[in-house]
Amino acid sequence: KTAYDIRVTFQETIIMTNDYFKGDAMITIEAAESKNIPQVLELWWKLMRYHVPFEPMFEGRPADAKLFEQRFSDRMEAEELKAFMAMENDEIIGCTWYVEQGHPPVYTKARYGYIMGMMVKPGHRRSGVGTMMLEKIYKWAESEGLDRLEVQIVPGNEAGYSFWKKQGYDAY
């Protein structure tokens, strides 16, 4: 099995506003901070469990949760790992994780952004929340001088594949 690798250039992106109203609640996209790590990781674990039927390697080991939380925290504090949260009032309803990666320097474009994952709670899917988080990642990538983003989709995750395809990403 191999994951689908998909990419897009910034010229193909759809620009959306940073927040929008859903009924009486306003949804905002904010940078995650150290204090948010437990809630962010709760969504990360849900995303991993979602993928288990497609790929058993995503089965988590709850005994190692604290170790993973520390590693995640260390990478955020070192600014190696970035995360955005979709917030509705004080509740995190979605999250995305991303890093800067690099190809060997023989390539003309050695640096790129890698989206490690994105999760939106079920009651908020198909409402633009994922696209709003992606727009924040585009702004981050542009500020870092990156013009390429990559993401992997687990085979069988048709909902994920559909989302990324809708965003203009293609398999390569």
Side-chain angles (χ1 to χ4, degrees), residues 9-11 13 15 111 135-149:
T9 59
F10 293 106
Q11 293 74 28
T13 64
I15 305 301
R111 296 173 51 236
E135 178 60 29
K136 284 286 194 175
I137 293 174
Y138 290 154
K139 288 179 181 176
W140 161 78
E142 284 181 312
S143 75
E144 294 296 318
L146 305 174
D147 65 356
R148 178 184 176 94
L149 288 171

Side-chain angles (χ1 to χ4, degrees), residues 92-145:
I92 297 175
I93 61 167
C95 196
T96 186
W97 312 265
Y98 54 99
V99 295
E100 182 179 317
Q101 297 281 357
H103 291 295
V106 297
Y107 293 104
T108 57
K109 293 187 179 190
R111 296 173 51 236
Y112 64 96
Y114 178 71
I115 301 169
M116 299 172 68
M118 182 180 289
M119 170 73 174
V120 176
K121 287 185 174 179
H124 297 277
R125 293 182 184 152
R126 298 185 159 283
S127 66
V129 173
T131 302
M132 290 169 58
M133 289 189 291
L134 187 57
E135 178 60 29
K136 284 286 194 175
I137 293 174
Y138 290 154
K139 288 179 181 176
W140 161 78
E142 284 181 312
S143 75
E144 294 296 318

Side-chain angles (χ1 to χ4, degrees), residues 157-172:
N157 181 357
E158 294 304 321
Y161 187 78
S162 175
F163 171 79
W164 292 105
K165 194 78 169 154
K166 179 181 168 189
Q167 300 303 321
Y169 286 67
D170 288 313
Y172 75 100

Side-chain angles (χ1 to χ4, degrees), residues 45-115:
W45 283 107
K46 287 180 181 181
L47 181 63
M48 295 305 99
R49 285 191 296 274
Y50 173 81
H51 284 100
V52 169
F54 311 123
E55 176 54 68
M57 87 160 196
F58 288 104
E59 185 70 48
R61 295 185 311 204
D64 292 332
K66 279 292 180 198
L67 177 66
F68 182 73
E69 182 175 337
Q70 186 60 54
R71 183 169 185 262
F72 195 92
S73 176
D74 291 347
R75 289 188 74 192
M76 275 187 68
E77 289 179 23
E79 297 189 12
E80 295 172 10
L81 174 87
K82 311 264 190 228
F84 283 122
M85 309 172 299
M87 304 291 296
E88 182 178 55
N89 301 319
D90 292 329
E91 178 190 0
I92 297 175
I93 61 167
C95 196
T96 186
W97 312 265
Y98 54 99
V99 295
E100 182 179 317
Q101 297 281 357
H103 291 295
V106 297
Y107 293 104
T108 57
K109 293 187 179 190
R111 296 173 51 236
Y112 64 96
Y114 178 71
I115 301 169

Side-chain angles (χ1 to χ4, degrees), residues 5-34:
D5 289 315
I6 50 183
R7 62 182 160 76
V8 70
T9 59
F10 293 106
Q11 293 74 28
E12 299 169 351
T13 64
I14 299 167
I15 305 301
M16 289 190 67
T17 102
N18 292 335
D19 24 75
Y20 78 104
F21 290 95
K22 180 182 176 193
D24 293 333
M26 185 162 133
I27 295 176
T28 60
I29 308 301
E30 303 171 11
E33 300 175 7
S34 295

